[in-house]
Amino acid sequence: MNLKDLEYVKAIAHHKHFRKAADACFVSQPTLSGQVKKLEQELGVVLFDRSTKQVTLTAQGERLLTQINVILEQTEILKELAATSNGPLQGKLRIGIIPTIAPYLLSALLTSMKAAFSDSHFSFIEMQTATMLEALDNGELDFAILADVPELKNYHTVNVYKEDFVVAVSTDNPLSNRKKVALSDLQSCSLLMLSDGHCFKDQAQKFCFAAGVDVSNQYQGNSLETLLALVAINDGVTFVPRLACTPRVGIDYLPIFPNQQRNVVFACRKHYPHLAGVEQLAQWLAEHPNLKRALRAC
């Protein structure tokens, strides 16, 4: 038994296909299949049901996969500790970031972040919260940047900043003449939202429903920019996070009352070996003047 054999089992369980698993592991299918067969013989169990087109784990395989994942995660932690013994944030860092933060935070801070942490090589991957947490669990991400949600109770989190929600309205909309907008004032508007799966939508809907404001089904997508394009032609109103309210032709941004916020955090596995480095980066971001300036905009 060796670690490669365990990685093959994990890959087959994920892809439910021997050839796809072999491709993901950069080995031939006969090599992968042979090693897994040897592992099954060594353990005295059958890990996979091969009788159907889609390969599935047996009951014994399901139980053993849980422990295999623990072994592989702990092995990765050991490698990371050895590779970064001279500093908390070195090498390639795979960072998940939700779409309603990525374009606005990175445009303001990525260049100076690279300069400040020159020993780190940041790789950012946009994904929705549920997918991101799964990637954290699987070790595919080092940490994530996202809005605080109840599901993060099982992760180590570090607060970075609080961000107001604002309402984006067309300059032709009567609401644009106001200094602030009450949530109840939006009852007569076509309120545009992102599609399901975006935590930003979930948070906005909670306080909208409490105020009796219905959400329009006119557009459901993944882009705040598309929502803002519709707002600019006076085809609805929408909520945006404070960082996203950069000047745009035809759009005014208005504070709402009662004030609504989201808390943006870094999240990682509780036993991630570089917690100190994650906290150091979070503090650097929180104190950066570009971020503070952007959070005061509009």
Side-chain angles (χ1 to χ4, degrees):
M1 182 191 307
N2 58 56
L3 291 174
K4 277 294 182 185
D5 296 342
L6 303 184
E7 290 173 357
Y8 296 158
V9 172
K10 181 178 178 179
I12 297 169
H14 176 73
H15 292 283
K16 296 180 172 56
H17 197 283
F18 277 88
R19 181 184 57 77
K20 291 179 180 178
D23 291 343
C25 295
F26 303 103
V27 296
S28 67
Q29 181 174 336
T31 296
L32 179 139
S33 299
Q35 288 300 115
V36 171
K37 190 67 176 178
K38 288 180 182 178
L39 178 63
E40 289 178 319
Q41 292 171 351
E42 184 176 349
L43 294 174
V45 298
V46 176
L47 296 170
F48 295 101
D49 180 357
R50 301 164 171 84
S51 62
T52 58
K53 185 175 181 181
Q54 187 177 68
V55 179
T56 58
L57 285 162
T58 62
Q60 298 97 321
E62 289 278 5
R63 288 196 297 269
L64 291 178
L65 181 63
T66 300
Q67 189 60 36
I68 286 172
N69 286 332
V70 171
I71 293 170
L72 292 176
E73 181 179 355
Q74 293 300 315
T75 302
E76 187 64 25
I77 290 173
L78 180 62
K79 290 178 181 177
E80 290 173 344
L81 283 171
T84 60
S85 58
N86 294 326
L89 279 177
Q90 291 185 347
K92 185 175 182 179
L93 296 170
R94 300 155 298 180
I95 306 171
I97 186 168
I98 57 175
T100 58
I101 292 177
Y104 315 110
L105 183 67
L106 296 183
S107 63
L109 292 166
L110 184 57
T111 299
S112 52
M113 188 189 304
K114 287 181 177 179
F117 296 87
S118 57
D119 290 333
S120 301
H121 301 283
F122 300 107
S123 176
F124 290 94
I125 306 154
E126 278 193 37
M127 49 179 70
Q128 293 183 8
T129 299
T131 306
M132 188 181 298
L133 297 184
E134 183 179 343
L136 278 175
D137 292 339
N138 294 334
E140 297 169 12
L141 295 175
D142 292 285
F143 60 94
I145 306 174
L146 70 165
D148 196 7
V149 291
E151 292 81 0
L152 290 179
K153 64 183 179 181
N154 296 322
Y155 300 85
H156 179 82
T157 59
V158 186
N159 294 331
V160 184
Y161 62 90
K162 289 187 180 294
E163 182 175 29
D164 292 340
F165 290 80
V166 299
V167 178
V169 303
S170 167
T171 51
D172 294 328
N173 190 306
L175 292 176
S176 67
N177 296 320
R178 304 189 183 186
K179 292 183 178 180
K180 288 185 177 181
V181 174
L183 288 173
S184 57
D185 294 332
L186 302 178
Q187 292 179 358
S188 60
C189 297
S190 176
L191 182 59
L192 306 173
M193 286 281 189
L194 296 173
S195 59
D196 292 339
H198 289 274
C199 60
F200 184 82
K201 177 185 179 180
D202 296 338
Q203 292 165 328
Q205 277 189 325
K206 285 181 181 178
F207 59 76
C208 285
F209 289 161
V213 180
D214 293 327
V215 176
S216 169
N217 292 320
Q218 176 184 345
Y219 171 79
Q220 293 187 16
N222 295 318
S223 171
L224 280 177
E225 295 302 314
T226 304
L227 294 181
L228 289 169
L230 294 174
V231 170
I233 60 172
N234 202 17
D235 208 25
V237 302
T238 194
F239 294 106
V240 294
R242 177 73 70 171
L243 288 185
C245 63
T246 55
R248 291 175 173 86
V249 175
I251 293 180
D252 284 331
Y253 302 102
L254 306 174
I256 58 177
F257 65 91
N259 187 37
Q260 305 293 331
Q261 291 183 320
R262 67 175 178 179
N263 186 32
V264 175
V265 301
F266 280 7
C268 58
R269 299 181 299 279
K270 286 189 175 179
H271 300 294
Y272 181 61
H274 311 302
L275 293 179
V278 172
E279 292 176 356
Q280 178 189 7
L281 180 58
Q283 182 178 0
W284 179 88
L285 280 173
E287 296 176 351
H288 199 283
N290 285 0
L291 178 60
K292 292 182 177 181
R293 190 179 307 115
L295 291 172
R296 294 193 301 266
C298 66

